[in-house]
């Protein structure tokens, strides 16, 4: 039968084990119910509460193998001890211990979490199914049928598998539990389902049913109700809990409610103060004041803050207690402690007070925080190199060293991450205090490295004798960091001013040195010495040939246009554009040119012609030339059939533009080059003017000499070229156009009055006096002077330098007959004044035709006639083409040579007659002039002027030694760099101010967007939304100015033709033009709009005050805008059109924006892409502006129901912006702009 006592039951058993009965109810049958039923917990980091947890009606199921007696082991081999003799059990057996491993699982638990991290509403969760193993010691005791089981100090740890916080941090729920239970033998097994076994009134086992059930075995349900004895299911009564367990719960703060249930203790802020603390010998903890007791007149963590004067006197530390934090002449030290306000969330983390001691004489401070007493773990920080100011309570220290108390071994109970963060802090650190109306001081501890600022109410108390500190050098009042930034900016500007001053000073000294050389020869203000040495009396060209080679016939054929149908015009445009790399048209060697002494005067590759490259098949063409060869490449890509159709190719696969053209001209005469369209007129005059270029598909051969000397780098000093298109700056007047040409090109030693006199003379000579002060115009917005007057302005800009040779490409094209005649009269008069004039004329009137001294007639690239206009009629009549009566001879000969058969006939006869060059009288300067000749002078040209023919001045100069002569020529030809810059600045300034539409548009848009931005982000708060608005406003400002820089593209492209013509004419250096252009564009279109935008938006938004912050903002924004404008201008230089330049600029700016650090986090970028940030103007500007605005800002972290003040530096770390890179960022922006 059934054992009558527990002793008998144990004697028959193999041991005890925890089991779940088969078929047990998952709710709680066969399991243990936890008490109290309503358990409330809190999740904290340090002392900061992050979440509240509530567990209700939790049930834990236990299972195990048989447990061993007294720790002998676990398993089925356990043998029960022998039964004692009858009657001895009651006296000898009262308790038996068993040990082993038990598996614990949560069978039921209804949980609720309430946390800012989960939102405003509580979230329910269920821990059922979680399990863990634990080692326990089970004590079993009893008497008769009753038995009691106890498990003390059971430790259960349940790890949340899906609750990982980070890679190395997991969420764990731990229970330190006691298990207690009692039972009575004799009840039916079914009783345990809804009841429990108890000793009845008659002493027999009885099944006591839970409320809601009845019957002998509690199997009959009668309705739902609460727990046993009618108690609420939300708690447990003292009667439900064993007395020992109840006492343990009471010791841990649980209490008995009025309804008899147990209530868990609530967390209170004073809980840490209520606990007893070690205050050291002779001091007691006062929980009501949350501090250790101190002697009379003393307070503070270490009881060293005086409260009364008598305490200082009694301790012999001073004559009075200084309770003021303000530094005075009697301040030797300051000692104070601070308490955190109760509403400060940091008070939950930082236990105790913050104690500080600053030694003014030693310039150092010590800080202690993190505990209530000296004996407990806390931080000790020592700040050195501190700055104090008379009249201020603040301190600023450069160096900081923090460690844990007691030699670094006793740290406060903080998370390891915070402890490590504090220990790594290196400074600087600031202590900023202000008096409170309610008494005391409010001080803030701003420590670099901590994400939060610590602020509290401080109470000073320093014993003092009133000793003076006159030997301490207190710095002046003000914002030290702000002064440093402002001084740095002013120093940079001063340094820049010094460099500019040194540049202009050095240029002036060099100019004075050269002036001394010129003055020693008596040449100051006189005609350039170069004009005496350089040739310019006779100009000879022989056998000029130009061919286009068919080298790429297998490539795709492009579209055919008018330029292909007129190949000579293509070549003319090509040679005009290609000369941008050659100053003055120095000759260049090309494939097939004759070499050696026998080729005197042929095109050669002399050292002075370095801008050109030898055109062998392996030579790489300069980048600016590659695009210019498009017209030739277009023709080269055509099929031979197509070329024949358009008359471009002969049977040999080559198109000959010019075939053996020869001629000569002496000073005082005008040579007119005539011919039908496509005859090669423009090609020839550009070759003669030295404006030719060389490419693989083009072959130019021939011989050009001036007074027997081949052209060299000096040629641009005696020759001037006026292209067919009029390219002037439309906003300048006629006088200003000619004036800046004179200022840039006339000898620098001429007085300004003399240069103005030369300009007036040219204006009068060209008949432009009546429009001298009128704008040139020619653009869509400025009408300006007439076409003929504009053409004369182009001539005047070249004529002002008094060139010996003047080349003009169709100066009368598009003009009426009167204007054309006036221009030709002017050119004839210029020639009579001692110049050689070459002009191309398409269809001259008879008057103009006979005004020419010589004409060179071309047709299909062949030379038909060269000679006097008076002889041309007889020439054509001799070969069967007489001019009809009353017909213009010019029209007649052009009509004749438009026929291919007539051209073949005339060219053949003219070639046989060898009419060219027989009457040439060449003038040559003998050797030893100091100029390169490029080869032997042909014998037939070695006659003309001799030494005796020279003027006295010329003879004096020729008598100089070669070195003296070269020195004089070098000094006389000097073009001062500083004057170039000033003149170009002046011209660009005039152009900008007289064309104000773009400037006004930039300023208007900047003001408008400044107002919109300021109103949209007005008065940004110091919270998370404020940080977002600050960064958003900065990002928008940078984006606006970056894409606004695209206007630089159109501004430059509008002047590109002007620049190309002037650069070829030797007006100025390329660097000086772009320096002036970039500077003036930056000043008016970049800096002024940025300043206007910033002045409106900065203070409306409410960005940080202080001179340093304002200065950094405006400097960075201006430099960014300058860099963006320079980038757009650089792209426009390399682009063939404004459309391509705009698209390329947008793409590059978007890529720069992507790697700027705002749209994509820098830390998440792949390594093979992250380097692109260093070429992004957005990266440098955004980092500098963000650091300037966010650094030092105290931000209220008010998200997710949190309310804590953190440093703005924390957000800089999120964006990976380094506060130490501000100087680098500003320097990088300046470098990008200047570079």
């Amino acid at each position: 039968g059934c054992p009558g006592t527990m002793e008998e039951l144990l004697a028959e058993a193999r041991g005890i084990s925890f089991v779940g009965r088969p078929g047990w109810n998952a709710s709680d049958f066969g399991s243990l119910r936890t008490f109290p039923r309503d358990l409330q917990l809190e999740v904290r980091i340090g002392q900061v509460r992050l979440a509240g947890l509530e567990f209700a009606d939790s049930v834990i199921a236990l299972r195990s193998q048989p447990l061993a007696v007294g720790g002998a082991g676990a398993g089925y081999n356990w043998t029960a001890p022998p039964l004692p003799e009858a009657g001895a059990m009651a006296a000898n057996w009262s308790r038996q211990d068993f040990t082993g491993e038990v598996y614990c699982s949560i069978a039921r638990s209804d949980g609720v979490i309430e946390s800012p991290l989960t939102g405003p509403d509580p979230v329910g969760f269920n821990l059922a199914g979680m399990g863990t193993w634990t080692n326990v010691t089970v004590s079993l005791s009893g008497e008769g049928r009753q038995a009691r089981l106890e498990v003390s100090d059971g430790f259960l740890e349940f790890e949340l598998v899906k609750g990982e916080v980070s890679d190395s941090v997991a969420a764990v729920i731990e229970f330190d539990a006691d298990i207690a239970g009692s039972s009575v033998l004799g009840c039916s097994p079914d009783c345990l389902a809804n009841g429990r076994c108890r000793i009845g009134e008659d002493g027999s086992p009885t099944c006591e049913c839970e409320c809601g059930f009845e019957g002998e075995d509690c199997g009959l349900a009668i309705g739902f109700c609460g727990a046993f004895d009618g108690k609420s299911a939300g708690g447990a009564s003292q009667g439900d809990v064993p007395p020992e367990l109840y006492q343990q719960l009471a010791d841990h703060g649980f209490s008995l409610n009025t309804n008899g249930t147990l209530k868990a203790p609530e967390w209170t802020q004073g809980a840490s103060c209520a606990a007893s603390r070690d205050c050291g010998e002779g001091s007691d903890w006062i929980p009501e004041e949350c501090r250790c007791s101190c002697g009379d007149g003393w307070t503070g963590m270490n009881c060293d803050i005086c409260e009364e004067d008598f305490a200082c006197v009694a301790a012999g530390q001073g004559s009075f207690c200084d309770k003021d934090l303000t530094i005075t002449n009697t301040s030797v030290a300051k000692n104070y402690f601070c308490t955190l306000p109760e509403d400060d969330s940091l008070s939950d983390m930082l236990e105790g007070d913050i104690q500080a001691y600053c030694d003014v004489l030693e310039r150092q401070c010590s800080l202690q925080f993190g505990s209530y007493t000296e004996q407990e773990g806390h931080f000790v920080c020592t700040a050195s190199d501190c700055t104090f100011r008379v009249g201020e309570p603040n301190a600023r220290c450069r160096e900081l060293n923090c460690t844990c108390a007691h030699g670094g071994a006793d740290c406060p109970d903080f998370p390891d991450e915070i402890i490590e963060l504090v220990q790594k802090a290196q400074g600087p650190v600031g202590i900023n205090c202000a008096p409170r109306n309610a008494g005391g001081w409010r001080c803030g501890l701003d420590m670099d490295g901590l994400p939060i600022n610590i602020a509290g109410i401080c109470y000073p108390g320093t014993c003092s004798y009133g000793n003076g500190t006159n030997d301490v050098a207190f710095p002046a009042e003000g914002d030290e960091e702000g002064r440093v930034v402002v001084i740095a900016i002013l120093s940079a500007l001063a340094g820049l001013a010094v460099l500019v001053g040194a540049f202009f000073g050095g240029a002036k000294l060099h100019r004075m040195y050269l002036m001394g050389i010129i003055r020693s020869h008596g040449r100051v203000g006189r005609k350039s010495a170069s004009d005496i040495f350089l040739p310019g009396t006779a100009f000879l060209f022989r056998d000029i040939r130009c061919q286009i080679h068919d080298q790429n016939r297998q490539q795709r054929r492009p579209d055919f246009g008018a330029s292909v149908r007129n190949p000579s015009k293509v070549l003319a445009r090509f040679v005009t554009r290609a000369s941008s790399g050659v100053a003055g048209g120095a000759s260049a060697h090309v494939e097939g040119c004759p070499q050696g002494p026998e080729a005197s005067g042929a095109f050669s590759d002399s050292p002075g012609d370095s801008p050109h490259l030898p055109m062998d098949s392996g030579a790489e063409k300069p980048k600016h030339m590659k695009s210019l060869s498009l017209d030739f490449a277009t023709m080269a890509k055509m099929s031979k059939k197509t070329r024949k159709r358009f008359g471009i190719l002969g049977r040999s696969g080559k198109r000959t533009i010019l075939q053996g053209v020869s001629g000569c001209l002496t000073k005082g005469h005008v040579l007119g080059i005539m011919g039908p369209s496509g005859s090669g007129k423009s090609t020839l005059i550009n070759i003669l003017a030295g404006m030719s270029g060389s490419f693989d598909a083009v072959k130019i051969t021939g011989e050009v000499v001036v007074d027997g000397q081949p052209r060299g780098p000096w040629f641009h000093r005696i020759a001037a070229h006026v292209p067919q298109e009029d390219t002037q700056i439309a906003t300048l007047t006629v006088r200003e156009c000619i004036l800046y040409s004179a200022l840039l090109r006339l000898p620098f030693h001429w007085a300004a009055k003399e240069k103005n006199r030369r300009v007036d003379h040219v204006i009068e000579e060209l008949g432009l006096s009546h429009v001298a002060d009128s704008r040139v115009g020619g653009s869509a917005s400025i009408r300006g002077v007439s076409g003929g007057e504009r053409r004369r302005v182009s001539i005047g800009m070249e004529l002002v330098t008094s060139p010996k040779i003047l080349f003009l490409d169709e100066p009368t094209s598009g003009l009426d007959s009167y204007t054309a005649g006036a221009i030709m009269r002017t050119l004839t008069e210029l020639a009579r004044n001692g110049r050689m004039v070459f002009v191309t004329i398409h269809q001259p009137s008879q008057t103009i035709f006979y005004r020419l001294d010589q004409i060179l007639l071309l047709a299909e690239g062949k030379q038909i006639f060269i000679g006097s206009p008076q002889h041309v009629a007889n020439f054509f009549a001799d070969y069967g083409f007489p001019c009809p009566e009353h017909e213009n001879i010019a029209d007649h000969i052009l009509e004749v040579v438009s026929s291919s058969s007539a051209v073949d006939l005339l060219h053949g006869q003219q070639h046989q007659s060898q009419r060219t060059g027989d009457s040439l009288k060449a003038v040559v300067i003998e050797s030893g002039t100091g100029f390169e000749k490029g080869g032997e002078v042909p014998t037939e040209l070695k006659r003309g002027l001799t030494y005796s023919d020279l003027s006295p001045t010329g003879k004096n100069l020729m008598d100089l030694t070669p070195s003296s002569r070269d020195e004089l020529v070098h000094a006389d030809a000097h073009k001062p760099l500083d004057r170039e810059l000033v003149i170009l600045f002046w011209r660009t300034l005039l152009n900008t101010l007289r064309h104000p539409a773009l400037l006004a548009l930039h300023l208007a848009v900047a003001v408008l967007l400044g107002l919109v931005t300021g109103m949209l982000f007005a008065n940004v708060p110091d919270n998370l939304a404020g940080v977002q608005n600050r960064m958003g406003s900065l990002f928008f400002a940078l984006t606006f100015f970056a894409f606004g820089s695209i206007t630089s593209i159109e501004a430059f492209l509008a002047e590109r033709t002007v620049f190309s013509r002037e650069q070829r004419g030797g007006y100025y250096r390329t660097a000086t033009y772009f320096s002036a252009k970039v500077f003036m564009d930056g000043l008016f279109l970049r800096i002024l709009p940025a300043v206007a935008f910033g002045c409106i938006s900065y203070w409306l938004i409410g960005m940080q005050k202080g001179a340093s912050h304002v200065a950094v903002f405006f400097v960075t924004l201006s430099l960014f805008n300058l860099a963006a404008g320079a980038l757009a201008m650089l792209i426009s230089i390399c682009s063939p059109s404004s459309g391509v330049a705009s698209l390329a600029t947008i793409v590059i700016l978007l890529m720069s924006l992507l790697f700027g650090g705002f749209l994509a986090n820098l830390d998440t970028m792949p390594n093979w892409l992250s380097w692109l940030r260093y070429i992004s103007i957005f990266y440098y500007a955004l980092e500098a502006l963000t650091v300037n605005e966010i650094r030092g800002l105290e931000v209220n972290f008010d998200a997710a129901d949190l309310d804590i003040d953190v440093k703005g530096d924390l957000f800089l770390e999120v964006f990976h912006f380094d506060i130490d890179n501000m100087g680098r960022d500003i320097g990088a922006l300046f470098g990008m702009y200047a570079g």
Side-chain angles (χ1 to χ4, degrees), residues 261-314:
T261 60
L262 287 171
K263 181 180 180 182
E266 295 182 358
W267 178 273
T268 60
Q269 185 158 344
S272 58
C273 293
S276 178
R277 296 178 180 272
D278 182 11
C279 292
E281 184 177 356
S283 182
D284 300 322
W285 177 252
I286 307 175
E288 294 80 11
E289 299 180 10
C290 206
R291 67 180 180 87
C292 294
S293 62
C294 298
D296 292 342
W298 299 97
T299 186
M301 180 188 302
N302 302 322
C303 296
D304 57 353
I305 308 296
C306 66
E307 294 182 311
E308 302 293 342
D309 294 342
F310 72 84
C312 295
V313 175

Side-chain angles (χ1 to χ4, degrees), residues 13 206 245 426 433 442 490 601 606 681 787 888 1074 1081:
T206 303
L245 182 57
Q426 297 180 350
C433 300
R442 182 174 180 84
L490 292 178
S606 64
K681 302 186 300 296
N888 184 0
F1074 283 106
D1081 175 88

Side-chain angles (χ1 to χ4, degrees), residues 993-1015:
L993 296 180
R994 290 178 182 175
H995 196 354
L998 189 58
L999 174 60
L1001 180 62
H1002 272 263
L1003 290 176
V1005 173
V1007 170
L1008 176 62
L1009 290 183
L1011 289 172
V1012 173
T1013 305
M1015 291 185 291

Side-chain angles (χ1 to χ4, degrees), residues 1099-1117:
W1099 285 276
L1100 280 178
I1101 294 174
M1103 294 185 177
Q1104 291 210 54
K1105 300 177 178 62
S1108 62
H1109 294 287
V1110 175
V1112 169
F1113 173 82
F1114 280 96
V1115 169
T1116 304
L1117 189 62

Side-chain angles (χ1 to χ4, degrees), residues 204 272 338 357 555 562 564 594 836 841 897 905 907 913 1026 1033 1070 1072:
S204 62
S272 58
C338 307
Y357 176 81
Q555 300 180 13
V564 177
M836 289 180 281
I841 301 181
V897 298
L905 174 62
H907 178 260
S913 64
S1033 63
T1070 302
T1072 55

Side-chain angles (χ1 to χ4, degrees), residues 867-1132:
S868 171
Q870 284 76 16
H871 299 158
V872 68
N874 294 333
F875 174 82
F876 275 80
D878 291 345
Y879 296 108
F881 302 103
C883 178
E885 190 177 359
H886 306 300
E887 184 174 347
N888 184 0
I889 183 61
D891 295 337
H892 171 69
I893 62 177
L894 291 177
E895 181 180 357
V896 171
V897 298
S898 296
S899 170
S900 298
S901 57
V903 169
D904 294 337
L905 174 62
L906 293 172
H907 178 260
Q909 297 295 332
Q910 191 270 348
H911 183 69
Q912 294 177 5
S913 64
Q914 296 291 329
R915 299 173 180 266
T916 304
D918 294 339
S919 61
L920 174 65
K921 178 181 180 181
V923 181
V924 62
I925 304 299
E926 297 295 331
S927 61
T929 60
F931 295 92
E932 298 179 7
K933 301 181 182 307
E936 293 291 331
V937 179
T939 304
E940 66 271 20
L941 294 179
K942 280 190 175 181
R943 62 178 183 270
L945 292 178
T946 63
Y947 180 82
S948 59
D949 297 325
L950 295 175
S951 65
T953 301
K955 292 178 179 179
N956 291 335
L957 293 177
M958 292 299 296
D959 289 338
L960 295 174
T961 62
S963 59
S964 298
R965 194 161 55 241
D966 290 342
E967 185 181 50
L968 175 60
V969 171
H970 171 72
D972 193 61
H974 175 66
K975 300 179 69 174
L977 184 61
D978 57 335
R979 289 190 177 179
E980 266 189 25
L981 283 172
V982 171
I983 295 169
L984 291 174
F985 283 155
W986 164 75
R987 188 185 75 170
T988 309
L989 177 63
L990 286 181
N991 187 34
T992 302
L993 296 180
R994 290 178 182 175
H995 196 354
L998 189 58
L999 174 60
L1001 180 62
H1002 272 263
L1003 290 176
V1005 173
V1007 170
L1008 176 62
L1009 290 183
L1011 289 172
V1012 173
T1013 305
M1015 291 185 291
L1016 179 63
F1017 300 101
N1019 300 319
V1020 288
D1022 293 338
N1023 54 15
L1024 291 180
V1027 172
Q1028 179 186 4
N1029 287 349
R1030 280 180 165 88
M1031 294 201 64
S1033 63
L1034 295 176
F1035 180 76
F1036 172 77
L1038 295 179
T1039 305
F1040 159 60
F1041 284 115
F1043 287 96
S1045 65
I1046 296 178
T1047 56
S1048 294
I1049 296 175
E1050 195 65 36
F1052 171 74
L1053 291 180
E1055 290 187 17
R1056 185 155 69 175
T1057 55
V1058 177
F1059 164 73
S1060 298
R1061 176 181 61 83
E1062 294 177 346
Q1063 196 274 337
R1064 290 194 304 267
Y1067 279 63
Y1068 40 70
R1069 302 168 179 87
T1070 302
T1072 55
Y1073 170 81
F1074 283 106
S1075 297
K1077 187 68 179 175
V1078 171
F1079 179 82
M1080 300 307 295
D1081 175 88
L1083 177 62
F1084 289 101
L1085 301 183
R1086 309 300 157 210
I1087 295 180
L1088 286 183
V1091 171
F1093 177 89
C1095 288
I1096 295 173
S1097 63
Y1098 191 90
W1099 285 276
L1100 280 178
I1101 294 174
M1103 294 185 177
Q1104 291 210 54
K1105 300 177 178 62
S1108 62
H1109 294 287
V1110 175
V1112 169
F1113 173 82
F1114 280 96
V1115 169
T1116 304
L1117 189 62
S1118 299
L1119 285 176
F1120 172 82
N1121 206 9
L1122 288 172
L1127 175 64
M1129 187 171 294
L1130 176 64
I1131 296 173
S1132 65

Side-chain angles (χ1 to χ4, degrees), residues 196-244:
R196 59 189 175 186
C197 192
R198 288 289 184 264
I199 300 297
E201 295 179 357
D202 58 356
S204 62
T206 303
C207 186
E208 180 183 9
C209 297
E210 185 176 356
C211 182
F213 297 90
E214 65 178 9
E216 181 179 354
D217 296 328
C218 300
L220 179 62
I222 59 174
F224 175 79
C225 64
F228 292 99
D229 301 330
K231 306 302 181 185
S232 171
S237 67
Q238 184 177 359
D240 291 330
V241 181
E244 297 85 351

